[in-house]
Amino acid sequence: MAVTVYRYGHRLARDKRITTHVALTARAFGADGVVIDTKDETVEQSVRGVVTRFGGPFFIRTGIPWKEYFRDFHGTIVHLTMYGQRMEDVIEDIRKHDELAVIVGAEKVPGAFYEMAHYNVAVGNQPHSEVAALAVFLHMLTEGQWCEKEFDGIMNIIPSKRGKVVHYNYPAILSREGCDPAVIAHSEKVRDLAMEIARRIQRNGTAVDMETVEAGALLHDVGRAKTHGIMHIVEGERIAKQYGLPEKIQHIIRNHAGAGIEREEAEKLGLPDGEYMPHTIEEMIVAHADNLTGIRYRPLEETLALFREKAGEKAAEKVKALHKHLSILAGVDIDEIVEELQHFKN
Ligand code: SAM
């Protein structure tokens, strides 16, 4: 069954929050989309933001006057109003229809709605709220099945007794943003090397946030969906922010180029003001795993030759120093890890 919620009477000055709640309730409780009479880009943006992060499909259209919408709608119209028939008496009948438009009001609705609706439905005969009416109606309509719906989002909440447990689907972000397969394959190789370096460092006594390393490594090049120039680090940071990813992941993306970019250098490269240096252990691990990975893994000497040619001696020296620093923390030359992975994964 296809269900669209029609929101009538949205007032820009006072209904933004509650109309957003109507839309989010429609989405969470199994409707396919929401149509709002008044044009409101703010509401559209916040609902689309939720769909981007938590999944869909769910559509939102605003600025569609009711006469226009219902002129072209040929399904069954359900109007939720406290003056209607008891929901319990009509819900079974309503379930038989294939396409529903469910109207909820903000202010007093035109009398014509009562005539136009195939069903005027009361969720209890007391006045309450459009959000409550919609939630209870959709619960009854789906016989409680709404909560089984899979959203396949980037962010999935893992039910937990205490605290917030969220699982992010990072590979899905890369494909959704339009990264090409070569970038995705490279990012997976960087992830494998970064995780191995992180494990060795951890085993040698320095704490490393493994989840952050994995996320940062997989997403370090997400900005390449927009540009392959140096600006990809800024674009990538912006994309991560847009998905609401933690700052520590945003910073890995921002600071992953070579062994970092100092402020003066950044200015010369035309980057927004600031420095782009890896500071945390997680940032250093991902930056260097990337240095040692192209379409295949390459040892330090080969990497340094590449840096000398493309970025100059100073940049190569910085990469060498980072390699040394991480090797000391890992208790093993990082080249040995590269060699092992070359053997198994090149
Ligand atoms: N004056 C409006 C009316 O005549 O329904 C009440 C406005 S009410 C705050 C906003 C919306 O909530 C209504 O348009 C209706 O869709 C919904 N609503 C409120 N109480 C309801 C109930 N008991 N049953 C069904 N819908 C209800």
Side-chain angles (χ1 to χ4, degrees):
M1 178 196 289
V3 181
T4 301
V5 172
Y6 187 85
R7 167 64 157 162
Y8 170 79
H10 172 68
R11 292 153 296 188
L12 283 171
R14 53 176 286 192
D15 290 332
K16 277 189 196 304
R17 193 156 179 275
I18 189 136
T19 298
T20 304
H21 286 193
V22 165
L24 296 184
T25 301
R27 176 186 164 276
F29 285 73
D32 301 283
V34 68
V35 176
I36 299 167
D37 54 356
T38 314
K39 182 83 192 149
D40 191 330
E41 277 166 13
T42 317
V43 173
E44 277 188 33
Q45 262 172 25
S46 31
V47 173
R48 291 211 177 102
V50 170
V51 176
T52 302
R53 280 174 285 136
F54 289 92
F58 182 81
F59 68 84
I60 175 162
R61 293 169 64 200
T62 74
I64 319 284
W66 70 271
K67 283 186 184 160
E68 183 183 319
Y69 181 74
F70 287 102
R71 186 189 58 218
D72 300 332
F73 180 78
H74 302 294
T76 304
I77 303 172
V78 176
H79 170 216
L80 298 185
T81 165
M82 66 174 168
Y83 304 106
Q85 290 175 282
R86 282 158 40 97
M87 174 177 60
E88 302 84 307
D89 297 339
V90 288
I91 196 78
E92 239 177 82
D93 225 40
I94 296 176
R95 266 191 220 118
K96 292 179 190 149
H97 297 264
D98 290 333
E99 197 181 359
L100 296 187
V102 181
I103 303 174
V104 288
E107 55 186 358
K108 196 173 184 322
V109 305
F113 278 21
Y114 292 86
E115 295 306 318
M116 168 176 83
H118 298 93
Y119 298 91
N120 290 292
V121 179
V123 181
N125 288 106
Q126 299 301 312
H128 45 82
S129 140
E130 51 270 47
V131 175
L134 183 62
V136 174
F137 175 77
L138 291 174
H139 178 79
M140 293 295 282
L141 184 73
T142 62
E143 297 181 90
Q145 292 303 303
W146 61 272
C147 53
E148 303 299 332
K149 187 170 169 178
E150 296 280 347
F151 287 92
D152 196 24
I154 298 298
M155 277 175 87
N156 294 298
I157 291 166
I158 311 300
S160 120
K161 196 166 177 187
R162 247 173 233 108
K164 301 177 185 171
V165 186
V166 181
H167 178 258
Y168 290 90
N169 186 350
Y170 302 114
I173 297 181
L174 294 177
S175 23
R176 196 175 287 187
E177 287 304 313
C179 286
D180 59 57
V183 168
I184 298 178
H186 162 79
S187 305
E188 284 169 350
K189 284 183 91 62
V190 171
R191 184 263 322 268
D192 291 344
L193 177 56
M195 290 301 275
E196 199 46 44
I197 297 173
R199 268 192 284 275
R200 302 288 181 99
I201 291 178
Q202 179 122 290
R203 231 185 281 154
N204 208 36
T206 303
V208 181
D209 180 341
M210 303 297 283
E211 244 185 273
T212 298
V213 169
E214 180 167 28
L218 278 170
L219 295 177
H220 75 282
D221 269 349
V222 65
R224 286 186 185 272
K226 307 284 174 225
T227 168
H228 285 290
I230 191 60
M231 280 301 278
H232 79 274
I233 61 178
V234 177
E235 286 293 340
E237 183 188 22
R238 184 189 57 74
I239 292 169
K241 197 171 182 180
Q242 174 194 315
Y243 279 99
L245 296 177
E247 276 192 358
K248 53 191 176 182
I249 298 175
Q250 295 176 32
H251 292 166
I252 290 180
I253 297 169
R254 174 192 165 95
N255 301 328
H256 84 266
I261 303 172
E262 276 140 15
R263 183 179 284 270
E264 311 84 72
E265 229 180 312
E267 203 183 325
K268 280 187 214 150
L269 291 169
L271 288 162
D273 190 29
E275 53 115 272
Y276 297 77
M277 295 299 292
H279 293 291
T280 66
I281 185 67
E282 293 81 11
E283 289 169 30
M284 289 181 206
I285 290 171
V286 173
H288 199 47
D290 184 39
N291 293 334
L292 301 173
T293 312
I295 46 170
R296 57 178 185 79
Y297 296 119
R298 56 189 172 226
L300 180 65
E301 275 313 317
E302 198 183 324
T303 298
L304 291 181
L306 213 76
F307 268 84
R308 278 189 199 108
E309 190 192 315
K310 286 195 171 166
E313 187 58 37
K314 198 177 158 212
E317 281 309 310
K318 273 166 37 189
V319 170
K320 195 172 173 183
L322 181 58
H323 186 94
K324 193 172 169 197
H325 179 64
L326 292 174
S327 297
I328 292 168
L329 289 176
V332 54
D333 191 314
I334 303 295
D335 262 356
E336 282 185 34
I337 305 175
V338 170
E339 233 171 79
E340 279 169 33
L341 287 190
Q342 263 178 334
H343 187 68
F344 291 111
K345 299 205 171 181
N346 254 353

